Amino acid sequence: MFRRVLIANRGEIAVRIMRACRELGIETVAIFSDVDRSARHVRYADYAFPIGAGPATESYLCQERIVEAALQAGAEASHPGYGFLAENADFTRAVQAAGLVFVGPHPETTALLGDKIAARKMASSAGIPIVPGVEQTINSVEEATGVAEQVGYPLLIKAAAGGGGKGMRIARTPAELPEAVRAARSESQSAFGDGRIYIEKYLERPRHVVIQVITDSHGTVCHLGERECSIQRRHQKVVEEAPSPIVDPELRAAMGQAAVRAAMAAGYLNAGTVEFLLDGQRNFYFLEVNTRLQVEHPVTEMVTGIDLVKEQLRVAAGLPLTFRQEEVRWHGAAIECRIYAEDPYNDFLPSTGTVSSYREPAGPGVRVDSGIGQGDQISIHYDPLIAKLVVWGQTRAEAIARMRRALSECTIMGVRTTIPFHLAVMANPRFVEGRLSTHFIQEEFAKQKAEPAPADRQLLAAMASLACMLESQRQVSPRPSDSASPRMGAWKIAGRRRALETY
């Protein structure tokens, strides 16, 4: 096993990886930009090295500086986390060229699967169902029109080098096709420096379900079941759970076997996820492979009891996985809510500033992966993820109830957060019944954009009462949090929080 590992990332994922390292007796090396000088991941690490200014292009995306920091620190390996350089084949090559171990797949695999057209070809050759469409680049509107006549509308025009919804457009009619092709190509060129596009059939209201896979260099290839990731805003997941409410053991086995075939066909090493779309008849179609640890990996860890980061480090060190496929068991249900510094009732616009008060929930079955604390800054330079709140229950119903309780105990002041949105999701009848699709937010919450949410209205009333009281007492107090439950009065919440503070 390694003696010292550099984590090429920041925030909650850097802390998460460092915790796994510490349990394995591995020393950790943090990197930080100027604005992260006092961040939690820097304070948690055994060693820390500055790598540049606040903008990611001047720090966390600077490959040479990160590799140089690893060499100066005497690190033997680098874990990329997710985002930044996690799926950059050139960074993997740079790490390896410096004589270090990259905790992740081979660069050739990353490059292959990063090309969506090549990945579709790989999946198709492995006998995995793919969404109807083409497996070559579309070079003109005329060519797109010919494909449309074969595949049928609606169509999805996608960037070959794409991800995160960028370079993606829907064409529902022939009249919409020319502009969709132009816009997708232009955005793809701007976002990825690669204007290649291709076409798939657009599935109406699908579910987004991913399969966790992990392999080692000893020939073991395993899947750890599925995660339901259908609740998304701007094509980014915000609530995930395992298992999926719609996946039964037979479907799990079929999707798991398909994911394993994909991993084997790509020569995959280490942890990754194979992503699928499910239609209304529970037919699944290959979407893509993410060649890294994913944000929502804790829900898989909660239901399997397997620490994915520790397994990643073992695999990178040349050791075998600690389990076999037949030893994987799934227990209970886990849900993750990504708590962002965003305003959910204003199109999830980022909310920057200082976190003036921060208190995490606790209790049975509750896990919080976070990278900030009281007094920390939510910067404009990075993803506004504050924390991942994860709960486990013996049943999905218990997990939902536990998430409601945990959200109500969570206090974050100074910035807007998605806590009110998550409380509304947990109370939503469709969510409780498990009737999900990638259009869930659009269908269930669009009508709330124009007016304050119920929790916010209650919050405003509570704020007004509190302001009157404070004025009379001539005292100063911080602004109440957004985390008020829509079913509880503000004074009851305040009383409970006061009681919690006495322990």
Side-chain angles (χ1 to χ4, degrees), residues 200-219:
E200 289 180 356
K201 176 73 175 176
Y202 178 69
L203 300 182
E204 297 282 3
R205 306 178 75 250
R207 300 175 81 114
H208 189 159
V209 178
V210 309
I211 299 289
Q212 177 72 57
V213 295
I214 188 165
T215 76
D216 64 21
S217 57
H218 300 262

Side-chain angles (χ1 to χ4, degrees), residues 295-334:
V295 179
E296 72 275 10
H297 74 277
V299 294
T300 295
E301 295 181 327
M302 296 288 269
V303 297
T304 63
I306 295 171
D307 188 316
L308 277 165
V309 177
K310 287 183 181 177
E311 296 296 334
Q312 281 193 295
L313 291 163
R314 285 181 58 85
V315 170
L319 300 171
L321 293 170
T322 60
F323 58 90
R324 295 176 178 274
Q325 184 66 64
E326 57 270 23
E327 296 172 325
V328 178
R329 297 287 185 273
W330 294 272
H331 302 284

